[in-house]
C-alpha cells in the first residue's frame, strides 16, 4: 500500500505543478560585376531585384546589401538594348515582403518536447562628366542619381570597355574582359554605376539605395553571367511581375531555384503600382543560391508556366492542451495511472475480505 500511496502522491504533485503554472505561466552582385577602387574590398551579401515585364519592355529595380571597406565602388550590368536609369523606390521591397509573407499555422504534438513543460519553464511555441567617346566605347548617357554616378555605355570589344573603366579610376579584374565577350558578340549595351556615399570617407555598408533600369526586351532576361567572377557564394532574391507566373528555364549553374510565392495581385497600389501599373498582375518570388559562382554559365531567361498559386506555410509547434492549458498527455498518463492504482486497491481490498484458505472453489456435495 505504501507504494500505491507514493504513486498517487506523484500524480497529485504533477497535477498541482501544472495547475500552479497556469496561474503564472513562463513563456551577390548577381546581375553584374562589383568593382571597388584600388586597394579596397567590397562584397555583396545579398541582391534583391524586382522585375516587371509587359512582353516588350523590362524594368529591373535592384537593391544590394554590401560589406567591406570600400568608400567608392562600381558595378556593371549588361543590357540587351538602350537603358533608362533612375532611382528606385525602397518601399517596393517592403510591399512585396508584406504581400508574400508566409501563412502562419499551428501544428500540435502530443508528447512534451524539450521546450515544453516539465522539461522547460513554460510550454514553448515552438558625379557625372559630359558624354564622350573613346576608341571602342561610346558614352550614350551620364547622370548623377543620389549616391550614384551612372554611365550608359556601348562597346565594340571588352578590352576597350576595360580601358574606359580603368581610366575612370576603377581597378578592373583581369577575368572580366573574357566574361564580357559574350555580351559584346551579341551587341548588348552596359550600365556602369559608380557608387560613392554623399558623406566624405563613408564606407559602403548595408542596404544601398535601389536603382531602376528600363530597357526594351522581347523576352524576360535577368543578366547573371558576370556573377561567375564572384569569390564567395551568392544569393539571389528575384520578384517577377508579369501577366503570368514566370520561372527560370534552367538553374544556370546554381542550386535549383525555389519559388517562395506565386499569386495574382488584383489591385496593385503604392510602390508596386509604381512599377507594374494598377492592372492585375501575377507575382512570382524566387530564391536561388550559388555556392560556386564560377559555375554560372548563362543569364536567367524566364518562361511562362501555369498560373498555379503558391504560398509558403510556417508552422508553430505547440503542445496539445485542454481546459486552459493542461497538457493532454498529462491527463492521459495521469488518468491511466490512476485507473491502475484504483484497480490495484480494489484487488487488495477483495483479497483482504476473502477468508483465509478460501480458494474460491465450492463443493458440489
Amino acid at each position: 500500500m505504501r507504494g500505491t500511496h507514493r504513486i498517487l502522491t506523484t500524480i497529485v504533485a504533477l497535477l498541482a505543478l501544472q495547475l500552479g503554472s497556469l496561474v503564472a505561466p513562463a513563456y551577390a552582385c548577381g546581375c553584374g560585376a562589383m568593382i571597388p577602387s584600388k586597394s579596397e574590398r567590397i562584397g555583396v551579401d545579398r541582391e534583391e531585384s524586382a522585375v516587371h515585364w509587359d512582353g516588350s519592355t523590362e524594368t529591373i529595380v535592384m537593391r544590394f546589401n554590401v560589406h567591406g571597406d570600400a568608400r567608392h565602388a562600381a558595378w556593371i550590368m549588361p543590357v540587351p538594348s538602350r537603358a533608362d536609369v533612375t532611382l528606385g523606390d525602397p518601399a517596393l521591397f517592403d510591399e512585396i515582403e508584406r504581400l508574400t509573407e508566409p501563412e502562419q499555422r499551428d501544428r500540435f504534438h502530443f508528447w512534451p518536447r524539450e521546450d515544453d513543460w516539465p522539461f522547460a519553464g513554460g510550454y514553448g511555441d515552438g558625379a557625372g562628366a559630359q558624354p564622350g567617346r573613346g576608341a571602342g566605347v561610346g558614352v550614350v548617357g551620364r547622370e548623377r542619381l543620389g549616391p550614384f554616378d551612372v554611365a550608359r555605355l556601348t562597346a565594340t570589344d571588352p578590352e576597350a570597355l576595360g580601358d574606359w573603366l580603368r581610366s575612370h579610376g576603377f581597378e578592373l579584374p583581369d577575368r572580366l574582359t573574357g566574361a564580357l565577350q559574350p555580351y559584346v558578340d551579341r551587341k548588348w549595351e552596359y550600365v556602369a554605376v559608380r557608387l560613392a556615399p554623399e558623406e566624405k570617407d563613408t564606407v559602403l555598408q548595408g542596404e544601398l539605395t535601389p536603382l531602376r533600369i528600363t530597357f526594351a526586351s522581347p523576352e524576360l532576361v535577368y543578366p547573371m553571367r558576370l556573377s561567375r567572377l564572384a569569390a564567395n557564394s551568392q544569393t539571389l532574391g528575384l520578384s517577377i511581375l508579369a501577366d503570368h507566373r514566370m520561372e527560370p528555364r534552367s538553374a544556370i549553374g546554381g542550386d535549383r531555384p525555389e519559388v517562395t510565392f506565386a499569386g495574382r495581385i488584383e489591385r496593385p497600389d503604392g510602390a508596386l503600382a509604381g512599377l507594374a501599373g494598377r492592372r492585375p498582375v501575377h507575382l512570382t518570388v524566387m530564391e536561388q543560391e550559388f555556392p560556386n559562382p564560377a559555375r554560372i554559365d548563362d543569364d536567367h531567361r524566364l518562361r511562362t508556366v501555369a498560373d498555379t498559386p503558391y504560398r509558403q506555410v510556417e508552422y508553430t509547434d505547440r503542445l496539445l492542451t485542454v481546459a486552459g492549458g493542461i497538457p493532454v498527455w498529462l491527463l492521459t498518463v495521469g488518468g491511466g495511472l490512476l485507473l491502475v492504482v484504483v484497480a490495484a486497491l480494489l484487488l487488495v481490498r477483495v483479497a483482504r475480505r476473502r477468508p483465509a484458505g478460501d480458494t474460491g472453489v465450492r463443493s458440489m456435495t
Side-chain angles (χ1 to χ4, degrees):
M1 289 297 294
R2 183 175 299 175
T4 302
H5 285 298
R6 187 173 296 140
I7 294 173
L8 284 172
T9 302
T10 301
I11 294 173
V12 172
L14 283 172
L15 290 172
L17 281 172
Q18 173 63 26
L19 293 173
S21 66
L22 294 177
V23 177
Y27 299 92
C29 161
C31 67
M34 189 73 76
I35 307 170
S37 300
K38 188 175 181 179
S39 78
E40 295 183 333
R41 296 290 180 268
I42 191 170
V44 179
D45 296 315
R46 177 174 174 79
E47 170 191 343
E48 291 180 287
S49 292
V51 182
H52 176 244
W53 184 63
D54 62 6
S56 61
T57 301
E58 182 173 338
T59 299
I60 301 176
V61 181
M62 315 176 62
R63 181 173 69 178
F64 300 105
N65 192 308
V66 302
H67 69 273
D69 62 359
R71 291 169 297 175
H72 299 81
W75 59 268
I76 304 169
M77 179 178 178
V79 289
S81 61
R82 188 66 46 86
D84 291 325
V85 185
T86 58
L87 291 178
D89 188 346
L92 174 63
F93 298 96
D94 295 332
E95 179 68 13
I96 291 175
E97 183 177 0
R98 183 187 66 79
L99 288 170
T100 62
E101 60 186 6
E103 179 183 349
Q104 302 297 319
R105 294 182 186 175
D106 289 337
R107 182 167 53 190
F108 295 93
H109 51 272
F110 181 82
W111 292 110
R113 300 177 181 177
E114 60 181 6
D115 292 331
D116 297 320
W117 183 91
F119 305 116
Y123 308 138
D125 294 328
Q130 292 297 319
R133 184 174 294 274
V137 177
V139 182
V140 298
R142 191 88 179 264
E143 48 267 334
R144 181 77 182 193
L145 300 172
F148 303 110
D149 175 17
V150 180
R152 291 171 289 145
L153 310 172
T154 62
T156 57
D157 68 81
E159 294 286 350
L161 182 57
D163 290 342
W164 187 92
L165 291 166
R166 291 187 186 94
S167 69
H168 286 76
F170 301 110
E171 192 70 17
L172 182 67
D174 294 335
R175 294 184 300 158
L176 181 61
T177 298
L180 288 170
Q181 187 65 55
Y183 296 113
V184 173
D185 293 342
R186 285 184 281 172
K187 296 181 171 27
W188 280 34
E189 298 190 3
Y190 309 89
V191 175
V193 182
R194 184 195 302 268
L195 296 81
E198 295 178 330
E199 296 184 13
K200 187 177 180 181
D201 296 328
T202 300
V203 173
L204 292 166
Q205 290 279 3
E207 291 181 353
L208 304 180
T209 303
L211 272 179
R212 176 172 172 148
I213 303 168
T214 302
F215 51 88
S217 179
E219 65 174 336
L220 204 166
V221 57
Y222 190 76
M224 285 289 298
R225 191 187 296 268
L226 296 186
S227 291
R228 67 194 321 270
L229 304 178
N232 302 314
S233 62
Q234 302 287 292
T235 299
L236 171 66
L238 191 59
S239 301
I240 306 154
L241 294 148
D243 289 339
H244 299 281
R245 175 170 170 171
M246 307 288 289
E247 291 185 12
R249 296 180 181 272
S250 71
I252 64 169
D255 291 346
R256 184 176 181 274
E258 177 187 1
V259 173
T260 61
F261 177 87
R264 186 175 176 84
I265 310 300
E266 294 293 343
R267 296 182 179 179
D269 58 7
L272 199 68
L275 174 60
R278 296 190 177 277
R279 58 189 292 267
V281 67
H282 202 95
L283 172 61
T284 310
V285 180
M286 55 166 266
E287 294 271 348
Q288 188 177 17
E289 299 290 335
F290 294 90
N292 187 352
R295 294 180 179 175
I296 297 174
D297 57 6
D298 201 354
D299 301 315
H300 262 318
R301 300 177 185 278
L302 296 103
R303 62 184 177 184
T304 300
V305 296
D307 291 339
T308 305
Y310 174 76
R311 183 186 293 271
Q312 286 184 318
V313 177
E314 290 184 351
Y315 289 98
T316 299
D317 289 323
R318 301 183 185 277
L319 183 64
L320 188 61
T321 63
V322 295
I326 300 176
V328 173
W329 73 266
L330 184 58
L331 294 177
T332 303
V333 173
L337 288 175
L338 187 59
L339 288 175
V340 170
V341 171
V342 170
L345 290 174
L346 289 174
L347 288 174
V348 171
R349 185 174 181 181
V350 169
R352 285 183 173 179
R353 289 182 176 179
R354 184 175 297 164
D358 186 358
T359 63
V361 180
R362 295 291 183 265
S363 173
M364 300 299 294
T365 59

